Amino acid sequence: MARRPILAANWKMQKTVGEALAFAGSFLPLVKDAAADVVLAPPATALHALGQAIQGSNVALAAQNVSPEPKGAFTGELSTEMLADVGCSYAIVGHSERRTLFGETSAFVAAKAEALLAQNILPIVCCGESLEQREANQTFSYVGGQIRESLARIDKARAAEIVVAYEPIWAIGTGKTATPEMAQEVHAMIRGVLGELFGADGEAIRIQYGGSVKPANVAELMSQTDIDGALVGGASLEPESFSQIVNFGG
Ligand code: PGA
């Protein structure tokens, strides 16, 4: 099935408002003819300004995190309504840095994904194994379990709208990319689980690969059957580099 590619930049804790706006100024003209969905996830402080700067363009805004709670005494958190208010159409949830550094569980990620869809913000749900898990041959069981738990609260009728990102932890920020074959093997396993969970709609769900994606390796990764996009950290920080990724290395 033809799935529209989706390339997303995850800037993590990088870029001031001014830097985000300067990026947009250079980047938008470079990707205006992209044959893919293009998404920028700046830090929360830059969401509003960047959202204004990309309004009317073919580039969409994403948050890097969200609270599952609608409002109230949750110091430091942002609700789905607040993200919608500043123009977010996507939000990353369950990134491995949130899971490992901030103790987020798949159950918590599931609540976030459910809350986002209810607000019509599309969740980009991340999963991925550690090096120890890969070496112990636990990749399929661990990642499969993460997917089942993290998507447990997705309404079947809305499943086709979500995005999944497979990011092996050992490949994030390390320069070590999974080979296209290694990535495809896990993506195919994830596709199977999505089929079990959502039937035929599992075929429509886009699965991004993440972990040291760069202009030089994106085309080969994107050529794999079940790789429908990329979630990009380091190589998304410069407009030239991320625009080349959006154009599959071209
Ligand atoms: P990286 O990060 O591209 O710098 O490896 C990817 C991610 O963590 O989303």
Side-chain angles (χ1 to χ4, degrees):
M1 134 174 258
R3 290 176 290 266
R4 185 168 166 83
I6 176 165
L7 291 303
N10 174 12
W11 289 347
K12 308 189 181 184
M13 198 170 73
Q14 283 149 144
K15 292 195 191 295
T16 60
V17 171
E19 288 164 348
L21 293 177
F23 180 103
S26 311
F27 180 70
L28 292 184
L30 298 174
V31 299
K32 65 179 182 351
D33 300 318
D37 289 343
V38 185
V39 182
L40 299 176
T45 46
L47 281 171
H48 182 249
L50 188 63
Q52 304 267 304
I54 64 180
Q55 214 169 35
S57 79
N58 61 329
V59 175
L61 188 69
Q64 297 176 14
N65 187 25
V66 68
S67 169
E69 302 294 340
K71 62 168 61 166
F74 301 99
T75 301
E77 294 293 284
L78 299 175
S79 71
T80 59
E81 186 186 11
M82 293 167 182
L83 299 188
D85 188 39
V86 294
C88 288
S89 35
Y90 295 88
I92 300 168
V93 289
H95 189 281
S96 62
E97 287 150 19
R98 303 271 352 145
R99 292 176 185 266
T100 58
L101 302 174
F102 302 99
E104 293 194 7
T105 62
S106 289
F108 193 41
V109 174
K112 294 177 184 219
E114 180 187 35
L116 285 166
L117 264 189
Q119 189 66 246
N120 291 317
I121 298 174
L122 306 184
I124 299 176
V125 182
C126 303
C127 61
E129 81 287 359
S130 66
L131 188 59
E132 294 76 39
Q133 288 162 332
R134 177 158 282 268
E135 286 175 346
N137 277 324
Q138 291 166 353
T139 299
F140 277 25
S141 59
Y142 183 73
V143 174
Q146 277 186 319
I147 289 293
R148 284 175 202 281
E149 288 174 41
S150 302
L151 303 184
R153 293 166 69 163
I154 298 293
D155 181 354
K156 256 193 163 153
R158 306 282 312 267
E161 299 172 57
I162 69 168
V163 178
V164 168
Y166 167 61
E167 301 200 300
I169 294 171
W170 47 270
I172 294 178
T174 58
K176 279 193 230 164
T177 327
T179 64
E181 294 72 25
M182 278 162 86
Q184 166 57 26
E185 185 181 53
V186 183
H187 281 232
M189 179 279 293
I190 294 171
R191 180 82 58 211
V193 174
L194 295 175
E196 282 173 41
L197 296 175
F198 305 119
D201 286 345
E203 278 294 312
I205 297 176
R206 294 174 295 177
I207 310 176
Q208 299 176 311
Y209 169 79
S212 299
V213 175
K214 39 189 182 270
N217 62 22
V218 67
E220 217 186 348
L221 287 160
M222 291 300 294
S223 72
Q224 301 294 312
T225 316
D226 290 294
I227 300 184
D228 309 310
L231 182 54
V232 188
S236 75
L237 294 170
E238 296 299 330
E240 293 71 26
S241 161
F242 190 50
S243 68
Q244 283 169 25
I245 291 173
V246 165
N247 297 317
F248 298 177

